[in-house]
Amino acid sequence: MLVFAPASGCIIRRFGGTAAFMAGALVMLGGYVGRAFFYDSIAWVIIGSTVVGLGTTIAYTAVPTVIMGAVPITETASANGLNILVRAIGQSTSSAVVAGVFASLTMRLGDISFPTFDAFRIIFWLAAAASAASMLAAAFIPGARGVRSPPPTAGGADEHVVPPVRVLASGHRTVIPPL
């Protein structure tokens, strides 16, 4: 995630936060579906995990941009705080679901029980469904269309481009670009 975060920032600047979030969810969807079908070598496990990680990076880095574009500037802190709370609830709920599926589909090897591959396959399909649901939900976020970078001027210099601003209050402006 650390290595790919700058590339994710470029995607957000070029296409906007919502498009970047949806692209990240699509990459995750592909990674999880791939994990359900390609599992017979360690190379496939590494490739699938890497694809999911790249999608997660794109999606997670786009979320604050989408949030800031969807709420008034005076509400960005509370909206981002709510994002952290919802993310924590989602992570703990998904951990419980994974534990339940793994506990219910096991095989014994000696005295030890292990989850079967069917348990993993169910988790991969559930994660793919969650990625698809995230893409669908992002399409309905109001005001989160994002800003694309302004096109370069004919001479290639940007010195005459005025950055867009968000209105903080009547008559007041901030240099934070709208998202």
Side-chain angles (χ1 to χ4, degrees):
M1 291 179 99
L2 180 67
V3 173
F4 200 72
S8 180
C10 292
I11 294 169
I12 293 168
R13 274 192 303 280
R14 176 124 170 104
F15 300 105
T18 302
F21 178 82
M22 292 174 79
L26 181 63
V27 170
M28 289 171 62
L29 173 68
Y32 285 123
V33 169
R35 292 291 312 271
F37 289 109
F38 301 105
Y39 53 84
D40 58 349
S41 75
I42 191 70
W44 284 121
V45 172
I46 292 170
I47 291 167
S49 297
T50 302
V51 169
V52 169
L54 292 176
T56 303
T57 299
I58 296 168
Y60 268 27
T61 55
V63 169
T65 304
V66 172
I67 290 170
M68 290 188 299
V71 300
I73 195 168
T74 57
E75 303 298 321
T76 55
S78 9
N80 277 304
L82 183 60
N83 170 51
I84 292 168
L85 175 64
V86 170
R87 188 182 291 184
I89 291 169
Q91 288 171 341
S92 60
T93 302
S94 65
S95 294
V97 169
V98 168
V101 171
F102 281 174
S104 66
L105 296 169
T106 61
M107 64 180 183
R108 294 202 55 82
L109 190 61
D111 292 339
I112 303 173
S113 292
F114 294 98
T116 64
F117 186 72
D118 285 338
F120 282 93
R121 186 174 281 134
I122 289 169
I123 294 304
F124 296 147
W125 284 115
L126 288 174
S131 299
S134 297
M135 285 176 22
L136 181 63
F140 294 101
I141 297 173
R145 299 296 170 245
V147 173
R148 294 182 182 186
S149 299
T153 58
D158 296 19
E159 67 266 6
H160 299 293
V161 175
V162 177
V165 296
R166 291 174 69 187
V167 175
L168 181 59
S170 179
H172 294 89
R173 295 196 173 270
T174 177
V175 293
I176 299 172
L179 305 168

